[in-house]
Amino acid sequence: NLDGGLRESINLKNSDEGVLTFNQRGSRMFFTRAVFEKNKYQGRRIYSAPLKNSGFGPAVMENIPIDTLVDVHGPSLSADEKTLFFSAEIEGGFGGSDIYMTRYDRRKKSWGEPENLGENINSAGNEGFAHFNPKTQNLYFSSDGRVGMGGLDIYKAEHNLSSDGSATSMFNVAENLQFPINTSYDDFGIVFESV
C-alpha cells in the first residue's frame, strides 16, 4: 500500500518532507526534504522516488548544480520531464527566494545550471510554490514581494509564445489572481486536476 511505502521510503525519522509533484505519467514523485542530523539542520533539497506496485522505491537526491549551503525547494516538473522549476535564494537573484529552472541533459544524465526566471516572475521579496501547468504551459506561484491582497498571493504568468527559449523570456509578466483565489492571508500551493 502507498501509505506504508511513504512511511518507509519517503518520510524519514529525522527529516521534514513536503511540497511535492509528480511526473506526467505518475510514475515518479519529486519532493522537498530537509534533513536534521543530531538536531542540526542540513538544508532543503529536492528528491525523487519511483512509484512501484507496493509503494515508492528509494528516494534519491536530484543533483542540481548549486552550492550545498543553498536551500533548494518546491519542485514542479514540465510535461516532457526536461525542465524542473524550483525555488532558491541564490546570490545574484532579485532578493529573497526566487524561482529558477534547470533543464535535464539526457546524455549527461544530470540537471544543468539553474537559470533565474527573471523580473517577470521574481521580485525583491520571496517567490515559491511554483506549479507549471503542462496543459497551458502557464506558471503559477506565490509571492510576498509584489503588490497584493495579503502576505503571500498567488500569481499566474502566461507562457510567452514568442519566447526565444531563454528562462527570462519564457513567461509574460505575472498577474495577481485576485479574490476569491487570494485573500488577506497567505495563499499558496495552487494545483490543477487534469480534465
Side-chain angles (χ1 to χ4, degrees):
N1 83 32
L2 290 180
D3 185 41
L6 279 171
R7 279 195 306 271
E8 294 171 12
S9 63
I10 306 301
N11 295 326
L12 303 179
K13 184 177 181 181
N14 294 321
S15 66
D16 288 335
E17 289 79 21
V19 187
L20 61 92
T21 191
F22 287 87
N23 65 356
Q24 199 69 2
R25 295 170 304 203
S27 61
R28 181 169 286 277
M29 176 175 65
F30 291 76
F31 63 97
T32 303
R33 174 181 282 161
V35 177
F36 298 87
E37 199 169 288
K38 295 182 182 176
N39 295 328
K40 184 179 176 191
Y41 177 66
Q42 300 292 313
R44 292 183 286 180
R45 285 287 185 228
I46 295 172
Y47 288 75
S48 68
L51 179 62
K52 306 219 176 205
N53 291 337
S54 60
F56 288 94
V60 295
M61 185 173 70
E62 292 296 316
N63 188 10
I64 299 171
I66 287 182
D67 187 312
T68 57
L69 299 176
V70 173
D71 282 338
V72 180
H73 51 95
S76 185
L77 195 62
S78 65
D80 63 6
E81 302 179 34
K82 293 181 182 176
T83 305
L84 179 68
F85 299 92
F86 62 90
S87 297
E89 191 170 341
I90 300 173
E91 189 174 328
F94 286 82
S97 180
D98 285 351
I99 299 177
Y100 290 81
M101 61 176 268
T102 180
R103 292 185 171 103
Y104 192 75
D105 186 328
R106 292 189 195 272
R107 285 186 183 162
K108 295 180 181 177
K109 296 185 178 179
S110 66
W111 294 104
E113 287 295 321
E115 300 174 62
N116 190 301
L117 291 186
E119 64 186 352
N120 286 353
I121 304 297
N122 296 309
S123 70
N126 295 296
E127 280 72 38
F129 302 99
H131 172 74
F132 180 77
N133 186 315
K135 197 174 253 186
T136 63
Q137 296 191 5
N138 295 335
L139 184 72
Y140 296 82
F141 64 95
S142 292
S143 174
D144 66 5
R146 298 169 175 272
V147 175
M149 300 178 69
L152 287 170
D153 276 1
I154 298 175
Y155 292 81
K156 174 179 97 171
E158 292 186 354
H159 176 70
N160 180 359
L161 297 175
S162 62
S163 171
D164 61 9
S166 70
T168 56
S169 70
M170 185 176 286
F171 300 102
N172 294 325
V173 175
E175 303 169 15
N176 188 301
L177 291 183
Q178 303 295 322
F179 183 82
I181 300 296
N182 290 314
T183 66
S184 60
Y185 300 101
D186 284 332
D187 304 296
F188 58 91
I190 194 168
V191 293
F192 300 90
E193 287 186 38
S194 297
V195 287

